[in-house]
Amino acid sequence: MRFNLKKIGLKKSLASLAVLSILLAPLALSGCAKSKAPATKASVPSGTITISGSTMLYPLNSVWAVAYHKLHPSVTVSVASTGSGFGISNAADGNITIGASDAYLTKSFRKRYPDLVNVPVALDDAQVIYNIPGIPSNINLKMTPKLVADIYLGKIKNWDNPIFKKLNPGYKFPNLHIFVVHRADASGTTFDFTSLLTDTSKTWANKVGRSLSPSWPVGSGYLGSDAVVAAVKSTKGGIGYVGLGWIIEYHLSSSAMLNKAGNYVIGSVKTIAAAANSALKAGGFPTDFDKSIVWNVSAKDAYPDSNFEFWMIMKKQKNPNTAKRIKDLVNWALGPGQAAKYTVKTGFAPLPVSVMGNVKKLLAKVK
Amino acid sequence: MFNLKYKDDFYKLILSVFIFGIILIFLTVVAVMLYYSYPAIIRYGLPFLWTKEWNPPKEIFGAATFIAGTFMVTFLALIFAVPLSLGIGIFLEEYCPAFLRGFFTIIIEILAGIPSVVFGVWGVLTIVPWLRDSIEPFFEKHFSYIPFLKVEENIGYGILAASFVVTFMILPIIASITKDSLASVPKIIKDGAFATGATKLDVIRDVSLPHAYKGIYGGIVLGFGRAVGETIAVVLLIGNQAVIPKSLFGVGYTISAVLANTFTFAVISHIYASSEVELALILLLVSLIINLLGRNVLKRVIGGKFSRSQFGGG
């Protein structure tokens, strides 16, 4: 009996080994293929860079890591999606090289992490999506940030509220409860969204404020932007918000949002870039990028709810080679890395050229 | 002979190291939870337990909504699952034809092993539309005057959706343990009861169940443990809104869900992270209390009741 069991055990483990080796074979092969890539440029010291943090920025970090590694095979860029909070705190503690974050360092975080620089690497936005029976799905309904704040505060509860009709004459709004959908997880899109509401509604600013994970007065929360899209699409009367990437991916119609100049603007790569341009041109935008763009832009074609995505990097690197590697990677990401095949494809808008001067100044602080 | 004795002692030593390892891991978990939640415990004190607001930007933290959601989902799931799984267990052990028993048992064991995220996804695809399109409109039309059954938002997501899916997750656990416990009742005791003229129902009620109750209770405790800590399926279904649900159809939030959703962000602020660790500590204590005290309480209740019965037992 005992021997039989042993035999069976051996057979089983042999079988599982065989299965494992079959599963692992492609990995091993691809490893070989990688090592045949072109030789390293002498200027970048070999080693590893770890980027960890924001789940929103993770897809962009991943495609950048792959592309950069192809250019510099001796530099391994490892990417993890751990949340902006971990990104910031771990970058400050030196556990990771670069912390990816959806939010800039607010005053209290600046105090706690004085040696971090937040380098903008891309632009993102939050756009309002809705599912209203009777309204064609390809129509960009006009909305104002104040109206959206009132909906998310629970003050406006029904689509038959005259304000919708007033903003969008010619459409018939049903007598239907508004189902407020928001993100359940801490999210950069939520930060953009609540930033706009904070800038435009005093009640929102007092009651809720800007945060990646605010205390929502009404509605229900869903895990990830995909779930927000699904919830809004499947619920008649639903309203939610997602970033540009999901609007493009799912061919969604978002609302045309009122901006400071008085125009109703639809979020797109162009209007988001226009907002960033306008914010920096107007002056007064902090050179360390410790601010949201969102509402406070005067350009006519600026989308009023766009924002920077950041890489958090410690100013003083222990190893000069690490500093060199970081600078090379960031310079690449800000240059060729801004191409649409990386940024737009993963749901971000590239940084406008006008930003680069200040960004490079920030990067010079990393030593 | 000596050699054998030595080997035996060595073996014992290794095993005792393992068991102390377990205790050490347990103590470490408790210690770490206490250490990191200490700032929140000091700052918010006992009112943390009944404060309803959870507002990270303003650093106002209260666990009431999450505690309420956790217990609502857990108890609803147990209310649905316990009678069902007792029925399944009793049927399988006492009534099921022998040639089908093996088949059903395997099905139940497979169900018990399905990862919870699969249950969650299944719930989003089936339970949510079913509640949204059939059940909620029905209750809205006919039972809206009962406050606890009022449909506030006809979206399908919420406490009930989460409870249903958790029910399916704990059902196989309780059912298979019920079946095994009933199977462990010595045949001789049952035969003795039959000899006194008891019917099958009498024997199940007065002999088998009292004899097996410890095992069944163990199954229910295991089910409670899984339900109270169930995370991903609940995250997908409950609606993740920090309110105390006024209705079965309302949305809510559980401790495990808020931890899964926001803990990676919470580490950014000392007191935010500390408050979330305190939530985890509450969850830990709840499971501990249920496991340690609950067992004795139920033993007294059920044991006392059944000891007066005709056939003794317990």
Side-chain angles (χ1 to χ4, degrees):
Chain A
M1 196 57 196
R2 215 179 140 193
F3 282 107
N4 274 340
L5 276 177
K6 264 195 174 170
K7 255 189 198 164
I8 292 167
L10 194 66
K11 261 189 194 167
K12 264 194 179 168
S13 53
L14 274 178
S16 53
L17 254 180
V19 171
L20 249 181
S21 57
I22 290 169
L23 284 175
L24 288 177
L27 279 180
L29 285 175
S30 67
C32 291
K34 262 183 192 165
S35 63
K36 279 177 196 160
T40 324
K41 284 183 192 168
S43 56
V44 190
S46 64
T48 46
I49 292 178
T50 48
I51 308 174
S52 179
S54 160
T55 42
M56 186 177 175
L57 200 50
Y58 175 75
L60 181 56
N61 286 338
S62 304
V63 293
W64 274 347
V66 172
Y68 186 78
H69 181 70
K70 260 187 197 159
L71 284 175
H72 306 279
S74 67
V75 180
T76 310
V77 185
S78 63
V79 180
S81 148
T82 53
S84 294
F86 267 118
I88 294 172
S89 56
N90 278 325
D93 295 344
N95 299 330
I96 54 173
T97 334
I98 294 171
S101 169
D102 303 318
Y104 60 88
L105 292 171
T106 57
K107 269 182 195 154
S108 60
F109 293 140
R110 243 321 149 210
K111 233 184 206 171
R112 202 169 155 201
Y113 308 114
D115 293 327
L116 277 182
V117 287
N118 40 211
V119 180
V121 289
L123 286 161
D124 67 68
D125 73 341
Q127 303 190 30
V128 173
I129 55 171
Y130 40 80
N131 172 1
I132 314 166
I135 305 287
S137 62
N138 59 344
I139 297 298
N140 300 96
L141 286 181
K142 286 179 182 172
M143 289 191 190
T144 68
K146 177 83 178 33
L147 167 64
V148 177
D150 284 345
I151 293 172
Y152 273 78
L153 282 165
K155 281 187 191 166
I156 294 177
K157 289 181 177 160
N158 200 303
W159 288 111
D160 68 2
N161 191 300
I163 191 160
F164 292 106
K165 186 108 189 146
K166 207 177 143 200
L167 285 169
N168 301 279
Y171 295 108
K172 201 172 180 290
F173 286 87
N175 171 14
L176 185 64
H177 185 84
I178 302 176
F179 297 109
V180 172
V181 168
H182 56 75
R183 285 284 288 276
D185 46 333
S187 137
T189 319
T190 301
F191 184 77
D192 294 351
F193 183 69
T194 53
S195 290
L196 176 65
L197 304 192
T198 303
D199 284 356
T200 49
S201 156
K202 267 195 187 136
T203 323
W204 184 273
N206 290 334
K207 241 182 134 179
V208 188
R210 75 183 78 220
S211 171
L212 278 87
S213 176
S215 162
W216 296 101
V218 292
S220 49
Y222 301 84
L223 184 59
S225 288
D226 298 277
V228 167
V229 173
V232 171
K233 275 194 150 184
S234 66
T235 312
K236 280 174 194 149
I239 188 170
Y241 58 89
V242 290
L244 178 69
W246 279 269
I247 301 283
I248 295 171
E249 192 180 334
Y250 292 105
H251 308 286
L252 302 168
S253 297
S254 62
S255 67
M257 193 64 72
L258 178 76
N259 70 9
K260 211 176 180 181
N263 291 335
Y264 290 88
V265 178
I266 301 160
S268 70
V269 172
K270 225 176 120 190
T271 56
I272 293 168
N277 259 331
S278 165
L280 272 101
K281 249 188 218 158
F285 199 85
T287 48
D288 52 5
F289 291 92
D290 283 359
K291 198 181 173 186
S292 293
I293 308 173
V294 293
W295 177 249
N296 293 303
V297 283
S298 51
K300 279 180 190 167
D301 56 345
Y303 182 69
D305 200 1
S306 46
N307 218 340
F308 292 114
E309 286 284 326
F310 296 100
W311 276 358
M312 302 283 170
I313 305 167
M314 284 299 276
K315 282 179 198 163
K316 278 177 202 152
Q317 293 290 329
K318 281 175 202 149
N319 186 337
N321 279 344
T322 315
K324 268 186 198 164
R325 270 199 301 275
I326 294 173
K327 282 185 173 180
D328 192 77
L329 172 66
V330 178
N331 276 319
W332 179 84
L334 294 175
Q338 293 294 312
K341 63 173 172 172
Y342 304 119
T343 49
V344 178
K345 207 156 184 206
T346 49
F348 298 92
L351 292 174
V353 184
S354 62
V355 180
M356 294 301 177
N358 282 340
V359 177
K360 294 277 161 75
K361 269 183 211 157
L362 265 186
L363 193 59
K365 289 183 181 169
V366 177
K367 273 164 195 156
Chain B
M1 196 62 186
F2 274 113
N3 192 17
L4 263 181
K5 172 89 178 73
Y6 174 73
K7 254 173 140 177
D8 200 36
D9 284 348
F10 185 63
Y11 191 52
K12 248 193 226 163
L13 182 77
I14 288 182
L15 290 185
S16 31
V17 167
F18 287 166
I19 201 68
F20 279 112
I22 290 284
I23 294 170
L24 199 71
I25 289 170
F26 174 71
L27 289 179
T28 316
V29 170
V30 176
V32 165
M33 292 287 140
L34 276 173
Y35 176 77
Y36 282 102
S37 60
Y38 187 71
I41 294 173
I42 291 300
R43 180 156 162 189
Y44 301 110
L46 269 182
F48 184 77
L49 296 176
W50 55 81
T51 302
K52 279 189 231 163
E53 191 172 354
W54 181 268
N55 196 332
K58 291 190 176 166
E59 298 197 341
I60 302 169
F61 294 105
T65 52
F66 307 114
I67 293 174
T70 304
F71 280 103
M72 272 186 84
V73 169
T74 305
F75 285 122
L76 273 176
L78 282 176
I79 287 169
F80 298 140
V82 168
L84 275 173
S85 39
L86 283 185
I88 292 170
I90 292 168
F91 172 79
L92 275 180
E93 187 52 38
E94 307 287 347
Y95 295 100
C96 186
F99 72 98
L100 278 175
R101 189 176 298 161
F103 173 72
F104 282 135
T105 309
I106 288 171
I107 295 286
I108 285 175
E109 273 160 16
I110 289 172
L111 264 182
I114 291 178
S116 47
V117 68
V118 176
F119 271 111
V121 169
W122 172 78
V124 170
L125 294 175
T126 58
I127 300 284
V128 168
W130 176 61
L131 286 175
R132 185 186 60 222
D133 301 334
S134 312
I135 301 301
E136 287 178 358
F138 177 78
F139 273 82
E140 206 168 6
K141 209 171 168 190
H142 301 289
F143 295 101
S144 58
Y145 51 87
I146 305 173
F148 204 60
L149 294 176
K150 197 166 183 282
V151 180
E152 283 159 349
E153 296 211 319
N154 176 211
I155 53 176
Y157 293 92
I159 294 285
L160 197 64
S163 308
F164 273 147
V165 171
V166 172
T167 301
F168 292 120
M169 294 167 67
I170 63 176
L171 192 120
I173 299 175
I174 307 177
S176 65
I177 291 177
T178 300
K179 180 192 151 287
D180 292 346
S181 309
L182 289 173
S184 71
V185 177
K187 192 165 178 297
I188 192 159
I189 303 181
K190 292 205 270 184
D191 286 347
F194 280 124
T196 63
T199 62
K200 188 149 189 175
L201 185 65
D202 291 334
V203 173
I204 292 169
R205 195 183 57 209
D206 297 334
V207 178
S208 294
L209 280 179
H211 200 275
Y213 90 87
K214 268 188 189 171
I216 296 172
Y217 178 60
I220 295 174
V221 167
L222 272 182
F224 181 96
R226 176 139 191 211
V228 85
E230 175 45 41
T231 307
I232 189 66
V234 173
V235 166
L236 292 174
L237 292 161
I238 197 165
N240 303 303
Q241 176 72 353
V243 288
I244 291 178
K246 291 187 197 100
S247 155
L248 287 187
F249 296 106
V251 290
Y253 222 150
T254 67
I255 292 176
S256 53
V258 74
L259 287 175
N261 277 329
T262 60
F263 189 67
T264 54
F265 172 63
V267 292
I268 198 169
S269 146
H270 205 53
I271 196 71
Y272 188 2
S274 183
S275 303
E276 294 222 337
V277 177
E278 191 176 348
L279 286 179
L281 186 70
I282 292 171
L283 201 57
L284 181 73
L285 290 179
V286 167
S287 335
L288 268 185
I289 289 167
I290 287 296
N291 273 294
L292 294 177
L293 292 181
R295 199 175 177 89
N296 292 324
V297 172
L298 223 93
K299 188 178 164 189
R300 248 180 286 137
V301 175
I302 297 185
K305 187 180 155 204
F306 280 103
S307 62
R308 281 195 301 276
S309 74
Q310 195 180 349
F311 296 103

